[in-house]
Amino acid sequence: MELGFATVLRAGWIAGILPLLVAAIPSPLLRSYHRILTGFAGRGKITKSNKLSVPQRYFLHFYVTGTAWTTLLLFATWSYAYKMVPLDSESLHFSTIASHLTGGSHVFSMHKTRATSVEYRYRVWGAVFLLLLMEVQILRRLYETIYVFNYSPAARMHLFAYFTGLYFYVAAPLSLCSTCAPEVFKFAKYLVAEFIVQGRDKMQLAEFNWWGYVKPLTLLVWYQWLGAATFIWGWIHQQRCHAILGSLREKKEQANEYVIPYGDWFKIVSCPHYLAEMVIYAGLLIASGGSDLTIWLLFGFVVVNLTFAAAETQRWYLRKFETYPPNRRAIFPYFY
């Protein structure tokens, strides 16, 4: 089941990457294809209003969906990790609760051997760590969408881009925990079934141990903390760039006008918030240890998709402003 689950996620990211890579080929034969793809993927100021577009403020739907889904996955994965694969001095043995679950249900019998593996335990707790970082990212994006950005009434996005965004914020958190997601789903399903059969009053109530949930995260390895540092670096710069973009529309009378942004990474690239997003997902990739192909493909989709969007944004800036800074690249400093 796990192989099939990961395969579906990987196929989804590949399906998103390949069309964008084809569109990047500099061939006159592909101009029509590039134009069509730009129409499908376009958002914001580079998208014209039409019957198949929605307001850009619908970005809010992405982050509401992403917040709810990531929170649910984080809670389920963290609970599974704590109860089934504890990472402490007694990690070679199941906890009392885990032994009860595996012994009482054939659904968890396969974990008796696998979950005793220290490598597997670190993978599960690593997934918890990645989901925790993702939660921090999506919560900030939700806040910014509500309180920082004042989207222009003219800013639109194609319906295809809208549904792609919804898919992304469901598939991305799943990709971060794909190595243990099938087991987490079985664990959650078992607990729900037990709750329904026994009822809340008959279920064992264990005292909540905050330190027991947090301590395993302090035992993670160096590359996970390096990834977290990279993530925070990108996170801070994206927050600054979004604040700059949000401040451009503070005056309502200028809500329909576009101006050239300045400050922070805007000094060197036209889309520093996209560049920061790449750094954020690079941080997640580093924190994963780089051994999961699914997360590599997630990162690849982020890079290819945002590079494509940044190139179109750069062209728009150059057409719109005659005084646009000539030293700014689209997304990669001094290169592209």
Side-chain angles (χ1 to χ4, degrees):
M1 179 179 177
E2 181 179 346
L3 178 60
F5 180 82
T7 300
V8 170
L9 284 171
R10 292 168 185 175
W13 296 127
I14 292 173
I17 292 171
L18 289 181
L20 295 170
L21 288 179
V22 172
I25 299 174
S27 171
L29 300 176
L30 294 173
R31 286 178 183 173
S32 297
Y33 173 79
H34 185 278
R35 185 167 55 253
I36 293 172
L37 193 61
T38 300
F40 283 155
R43 55 186 179 267
K45 50 186 168 287
I46 64 175
T47 300
K48 296 180 180 180
S49 176
N50 60 63
K51 293 181 180 179
L52 294 178
S53 67
V54 296
Q56 193 182 15
R57 65 176 181 273
Y58 281 18
F59 263 61
L60 176 64
H61 301 173
F62 300 164
Y63 306 123
V64 170
T65 300
T67 298
W69 179 236
T70 304
T71 301
L72 180 62
L73 273 180
L74 175 61
F75 175 77
T77 306
W78 211 331
S79 297
Y80 169 77
Y82 175 72
K83 293 182 179 181
M84 299 298 296
V85 287
L87 190 63
D88 51 31
S89 58
E90 300 178 354
S91 62
L92 294 178
H93 303 283
F94 277 98
S95 65
T96 302
I97 297 177
S99 297
H100 166 73
L101 289 174
T102 56
S105 173
H106 71 281
V107 173
F108 289 96
S109 61
M110 65 178 181
H111 295 304
K112 287 185 175 181
T113 301
R114 186 180 182 189
T116 57
S117 165
V118 175
E119 180 184 356
Y120 177 71
R121 292 172 185 270
Y122 271 100
R123 265 208 321 269
V124 174
W125 281 101
V128 173
F129 190 59
L130 292 175
L131 287 172
L132 193 58
L133 293 176
M134 188 70 173
E135 181 88 346
V136 171
Q137 168 68 357
I138 294 182
L139 284 174
R140 199 204 78 236
R141 296 301 302 271
L142 177 63
Y143 172 85
E144 291 172 340
T145 303
I146 298 173
Y147 297 106
V148 175
F149 291 122
N150 180 20
Y151 293 110
S152 167
R156 311 284 294 182
M157 63 176 160
H158 197 280
L159 271 176
F160 182 83
Y162 174 73
F163 287 116
T164 299
L166 289 176
Y167 172 82
F168 178 88
Y169 283 102
V170 171
L174 270 177
S175 297
L176 297 177
C177 63
S178 64
T179 58
C180 62
E183 287 82 3
V184 171
F185 292 154
K186 290 178 184 178
F187 172 77
K189 181 180 178 181
Y190 175 80
L191 290 185
V192 171
E194 186 180 37
F195 178 84
I196 293 174
V197 173
Q198 296 186 14
R200 181 177 62 182
D201 297 334
K202 294 183 179 180
M203 289 187 67
Q204 288 186 337
L205 295 178
E207 182 179 353
F208 187 78
N209 180 8
W210 281 100
W211 182 238
Y213 277 87
V214 175
K215 182 181 177 181
L217 296 177
T218 67
L219 303 176
L220 298 179
V221 295
W222 65 269
Y223 60 77
Q224 290 166 314
W225 296 110
L226 176 61
T230 304
F231 172 94
I232 293 171
W233 180 48
W235 192 94
I236 291 173
H237 279 284
Q238 189 175 66
Q239 187 275 329
R240 291 175 180 173
C241 293
H242 283 168
I244 292 170
L245 289 173
S247 68
L248 299 179
R249 298 186 180 282
E250 288 181 347
K251 297 181 180 180
K252 293 185 178 180
E253 60 270 19
Q254 296 180 347
N256 291 317
E257 297 180 8
Y258 287 100
V259 296
I260 301 174
Y262 292 93
D264 201 69
W265 285 356
F266 278 106
K267 297 176 182 178
I268 50 178
V269 294
S270 296
C271 299
H273 49 312
Y274 292 169
L275 174 60
E277 185 95 350
M278 292 182 186
V279 174
I280 286 169
Y281 281 89
L284 293 175
L285 177 61
I286 295 170
S288 74
S291 60
D292 188 349
L293 178 60
T294 308
I295 300 179
W296 272 104
L297 290 172
L298 164 62
F299 176 66
F301 175 79
V302 170
V303 171
V304 173
N305 179 52
L306 294 182
T307 300
F308 183 84
E312 297 304 316
T313 301
Q314 175 83 341
R315 294 186 187 99
W316 184 91
Y317 274 130
L318 293 174
R319 290 195 303 267
K320 179 75 173 178
F321 302 104
E322 295 181 358
T323 59
Y324 194 73
N327 63 314
R328 287 191 193 180
R329 300 303 182 186
I331 190 167
F332 300 115
Y334 315 111
F335 174 64
Y336 179 78

